Amino acid sequence: MSRVTLSRYLIEQTRSHNTPADLRFLIEVVARACKAISYTVSKGALGGVLGSMGTENVQGEVQKKLDVLSNEILLEANEWGGHLAGMASEEMDNAYQIPGQYPKGAYLLVFDPLDGSSNIDVNVSVGTIFSVLRCPDSNGCTGDLGDDAFLQAGTEQVAAGYAIYGPQTMLMLTLGNGVKGFTLDREMGSFVLTHDHIQVPESTAEFAINMSNQRHWEAPVKRYVDELLAGKTGPLGKNYNMRWIAAMVADVHRILTRGGVFMYPRDDREADKPGKLRLMYEANPMSFIIEQAGGMSTNGYQRILDIKPTSLHQRVAVFLGSREEVERITGYHQA
Ligand code: F6P
């Protein structure tokens, strides 16, 4: 059988699901940028790209050189094509304006250029997460774009995906009708469809959480994790295994592949911040992907995709993955 490249998949989507040509172009440009990031990441010490910049981002996190490089790669790739009205990045304080010399388009691109960047220097998987929204102004977003244009619930996303830079570079994509996985063929330089039908198993015996924060969790999370740890003789009646890669992309990728439940709960370290992960750059795109693969995603109290954002860098608690377990932990929050 002939190979289905990302380009062919997108053209077939235009025929079967009326995917607009400018959205198709947008995805191709993002994929091209991810190839460039993959190449840059793979150079490691040889490319002089490891280590920190000595600066902090808006979240107060130390920026790695590769955070900044990946951000630049995505901005430069996407600013000139006429498909975007603006961009927002985890690494930038405010919305990025399309430079005046270029035409503007109908879409907004939101991204975390290099997720899990603490893994870079130890040669463990990292990734790029992206989300696509429509410009909310029906007359077109022609003037300067405010942050508020991006403050749309996750249900408004028209596409979302991530690239994982691991033993293989893969691009996982949803356009709202299932999730497809593409593997980068480095010799040919193209993403090839290798995972056609991605479904998160309903039940699982694997969980992912940073256990070192246990003492800071809220009661429902403590209860749930105690029950997981109690194993076969506990209330859940089975033994669970634990995995934590500390890059959301890699943990979610494992869950998409073989099931599991991922948790980053709110905790009492910073009372004003509901969780560590970012709603717009991490939780929304990953929740869209997980739901499209038959899984579930909540903040313990409500579906993540229904949350109306109030700021660009808003944080949120995240419970996502195999439906049975996400239902259980969400139920414990509501008990
Ligand atoms: O938000 C960045 C991130 O690196 C996620 O990708 C990951 O899931 C999480 O933080 C890891 O957090 P911690 O360092 O607390 O384990």
Side-chain angles (χ1 to χ4, degrees):
M1 211 190 88
S2 67
R3 305 204 309 175
V4 176
T5 59
L6 177 67
S7 304
R8 176 169 167 185
Y9 168 75
L10 291 171
I11 285 174
E12 285 172 358
Q13 284 295 299
T14 300
R15 291 190 191 130
S16 60
H17 288 82
N18 287 326
T19 301
D22 47 351
L23 178 58
R24 199 172 77 204
F25 178 66
L26 188 167
I27 303 291
E28 295 239 36
V29 173
V30 170
R32 215 175 300 144
C34 290
K35 276 187 242 175
I37 297 172
S38 169
Y39 178 75
T40 311
V41 167
S42 73
K43 286 283 196 191
L46 298 177
V49 293
L50 301 185
S52 298
M53 288 294 288
T55 49
E56 285 188 354
N57 65 13
V58 62
Q59 336 272 343
E61 296 163 340
V62 173
Q63 286 183 304
K64 300 278 188 185
K65 286 184 194 160
L66 276 168
D67 283 323
V68 175
L69 283 172
S70 307
N71 195 52
E72 280 166 7
I73 289 172
L74 279 156
L75 293 178
E76 280 170 18
N78 281 285
E79 66 182 8
W80 53 268
H83 52 291
L84 290 181
M87 293 182 252
S89 161
E90 191 186 297
E91 297 300 332
M92 297 185 302
D93 297 8
N94 298 108
Y96 180 83
Q97 309 296 329
I98 299 297
Q101 69 266 37
Y102 303 125
K104 284 191 174 182
Y107 294 103
L108 303 175
L109 179 65
V110 178
F111 50 82
D112 177 355
L114 205 65
D115 175 68
S117 53
S118 64
N119 280 350
I120 296 167
D121 295 348
V122 291
N123 198 7
V124 174
S125 297
V126 289
T128 298
I129 310 175
F130 65 93
S131 157
V132 182
L133 296 161
R134 277 194 194 85
C135 152
D137 185 342
S138 52
N139 300 320
C141 292
T142 46
D144 260 12
L145 199 67
D147 290 357
D148 50 343
F150 292 83
L151 304 182
Q152 306 179 38
T155 47
E156 300 300 317
Q157 293 172 103
V158 292
Y162 65 82
I164 177 166
Y165 314 119
Q168 307 112 43
T169 287
M170 288 191 72
L171 181 81
M172 310 300 279
L173 174 70
T174 184
L175 299 173
N177 55 336
V179 182
K180 304 287 173 186
F182 302 84
T183 305
L184 181 61
D185 180 332
R186 290 183 196 275
E187 282 71 45
M188 302 300 291
S190 49
F191 280 107
V192 179
L193 182 63
T194 47
H195 296 64
D196 197 11
H197 184 66
I198 296 171
Q199 257 330 92
V200 179
E202 279 218 358
S203 52
T204 183
E206 200 159 79
F207 68 100
I209 193 166
N210 183 342
M211 286 292 296
S212 70
N213 298 326
Q214 191 169 23
R215 67 192 179 288
H216 301 294
W217 298 336
E218 293 180 330
V221 183
K222 281 187 177 151
R223 171 187 168 192
Y224 177 62
V225 174
D226 281 349
E227 290 182 3
L228 298 176
L229 297 177
K232 210 172 166 67
T233 52
L236 304 184
K238 61 178 174 181
N239 293 327
Y240 284 78
N241 190 20
M242 197 199 90
R243 288 285 180 270
W244 185 249
I245 305 175
M248 189 189 195
V249 161
D251 280 309
V252 168
H253 191 73
R254 186 188 59 253
I255 289 169
L256 270 183
T257 310
R258 69 175 188 208
V261 56
F262 171 93
M263 295 173 272
Y264 213 113
R266 73 167 66 217
D267 63 40
D268 62 15
R269 281 175 297 176
E270 290 178 280
D272 57 323
K273 288 186 184 147
K276 175 179 185 189
L277 302 181
R278 269 53 56 129
L279 176 61
M280 307 282 303
Y281 311 107
E282 295 168 315
N284 268 344
M286 289 311 203
S287 300
F288 190 21
I289 293 168
I290 286 286
E291 284 198 7
Q292 285 293 316
M296 186 173 169
S297 175
T298 77
N299 67 352
Y301 298 95
Q302 70 177 126
R303 185 181 174 215
I304 286 190
L305 293 183
D306 285 336
I307 297 172
K308 173 84 176 92
T310 52
S311 69
L312 219 43
H313 297 283
Q314 181 173 342
R315 295 173 190 249
V316 68
V318 177
F319 303 92
L320 63 74
S322 293
R323 179 165 288 277
E324 260 180 27
E325 297 299 331
V326 179
E327 267 169 8
R328 195 192 317 275
I329 177 84
T330 306
Y332 288 2
H333 280 81
Q334 284 151 8

